Amino acid sequence: MSRIEISLKDAGVRFEGRQGAGGLKDWLTELVTGGQLGQAKYAVDALKGLNLNIGEGERVGLIGLNGAGKSTLLKVIAGIYPPTSGVAVVRGHVCPMFEFATGFEMNQSGYENIRIRGLLLGMSRAEIEEKLPEIAAFTELGDFLKFPVRTYSAGMFVRLAFAVSTSVNPEILLIDEVIGAGDIRFAEKAKRRMTGFMEQGKIVVLASHSRELLTSFCDRTVWLDRGQIRMDGRTAEVFDEYVRSASQEKPEVAC
């Protein structure tokens, strides 16, 4: 059996571009001037020199202010963003729970979307049909599964996405603030299913601002600050330090 792990070594993600660039006029000007648009260039280091190892069976939380790099890190692990520097090695089947719209046809019913999403997750048609009643029951959406997904509330959409995505028993589950959505009973069901993943030796990485959620799910938490790891340790200790620091620092003005 192959090892399941996440390993980042000096990993960085830099976004570069020109302010205001991207339109047809800008493209024609660049063509005529040989690339001298005159607009100010920018470079944003979303992640800088990250060294992080997550092994099989770990539940790891991610905290940090908005813009700290949590979502970027999740997308690097998912393979959506390749690192622009350093190395990211991920071994195991990854299921990202933040790109909810991917693979969903908003004009199709919930049932049809279960089938479509299942195929995208690598399930066979026979496997999907076999699991369909279980997935439908887990959503608790009842007859709403016969209606187009565009009629769903955000909470209903989360239920459907979570139920389908976790039906494949992913080895690495990446979550960005979704478990808290919906009612308390569904959150408890999701928690039990997540706990089941961990008992099977899976990896869960959860980005959240909720202390209750992180201390409930994660033994370990990583605090990101301006694209770098500021602290990595036991969840309660890291969260206490994070809150203490946030109360002492002056808020930055966003540009």
Side-chain angles (χ1 to χ4, degrees):
M1 182 177 179
S2 59
R3 183 173 57 177
I4 301 170
E5 66 173 344
I6 299 168
S7 178
L8 277 68
K9 296 181 179 179
D10 296 320
V13 173
R14 169 171 285 199
F15 299 108
E16 297 180 337
R18 291 190 180 93
Q19 294 179 357
L24 177 60
K25 180 180 178 181
D26 293 323
W27 180 80
L28 290 172
T29 304
E30 183 176 14
L31 183 64
V32 172
T33 62
Q36 302 300 316
L37 281 173
Q39 288 127 337
K41 294 183 178 181
Y42 69 85
V44 176
D45 289 311
L47 297 178
K48 295 178 285 187
L50 240 64
N51 290 292
L52 179 65
N53 290 285
I54 301 175
E56 187 169 342
E58 285 197 272
R59 292 178 286 182
V60 179
L62 297 179
I63 58 173
L65 300 175
N66 291 334
K70 302 186 299 297
S71 294
T72 302
L73 175 55
L74 288 175
K75 289 179 179 180
V76 168
I77 297 172
I80 297 172
Y81 290 163
T84 54
S85 61
V87 178
V89 176
V90 179
R91 294 187 175 92
H93 178 246
V94 179
C95 177
M97 292 292 294
F98 43 84
E99 297 291 343
F100 280 133
T102 302
F104 283 90
E105 296 291 338
M106 304 309 286
N107 290 321
Q108 296 292 326
S109 70
Y111 282 120
E112 285 306 308
N113 272 286
I114 290 174
R115 295 183 175 98
I116 294 169
R117 179 73 170 179
L119 289 172
L120 290 175
L121 290 171
M123 299 166 65
S124 67
R125 293 185 184 276
E127 187 180 5
I128 294 169
E129 294 305 320
E130 182 182 350
K131 291 188 175 183
L132 190 62
E134 175 191 342
I135 295 171
F138 189 88
T139 68
E140 296 183 353
L141 292 177
D143 287 340
F144 280 105
L145 288 172
K146 301 175 183 177
F147 301 157
V149 170
R150 60 179 167 78
T151 64
Y152 289 11
S153 67
M156 292 166 69
F157 192 78
V158 166
R159 288 183 177 212
L160 181 63
F162 184 88
V164 181
S165 296
T166 57
S167 67
V168 297
N169 292 327
E171 294 172 324
I172 300 175
L173 186 60
L174 309 177
I175 307 168
D176 195 353
E177 291 278 27
V178 298
I179 296 298
D183 58 43
I184 294 175
R185 185 174 61 174
F186 183 77
E188 284 299 317
K189 286 180 62 174
K191 179 179 177 180
R192 289 194 296 271
R193 177 167 283 197
M194 294 271 291
T195 302
F197 288 154
M198 296 312 302
E199 290 174 349
Q200 298 174 41
K202 312 304 182 184
I203 289 176
V204 177
V205 183
L206 166 65
S208 177
H209 294 286
S210 168
R211 180 190 181 99
E212 180 181 359
L213 197 57
L214 289 172
T215 53
S216 175
F217 276 111
C218 306
D219 301 316
R220 171 188 173 193
T221 289
V222 174
W223 172 12
L224 289 177
D225 184 16
R226 298 177 180 87
Q228 297 178 301
I229 295 177
R230 184 158 171 179
M231 189 174 179
D232 181 354
R234 295 179 62 82
T235 296
E237 296 172 3
V238 174
F239 204 96
D240 285 345
E241 188 61 31
Y242 169 66
V243 172
R244 188 179 302 112
S245 174
S247 65
Q248 294 174 352
E249 294 180 0
K250 294 182 180 180
E252 294 183 356
V253 178
C255 298

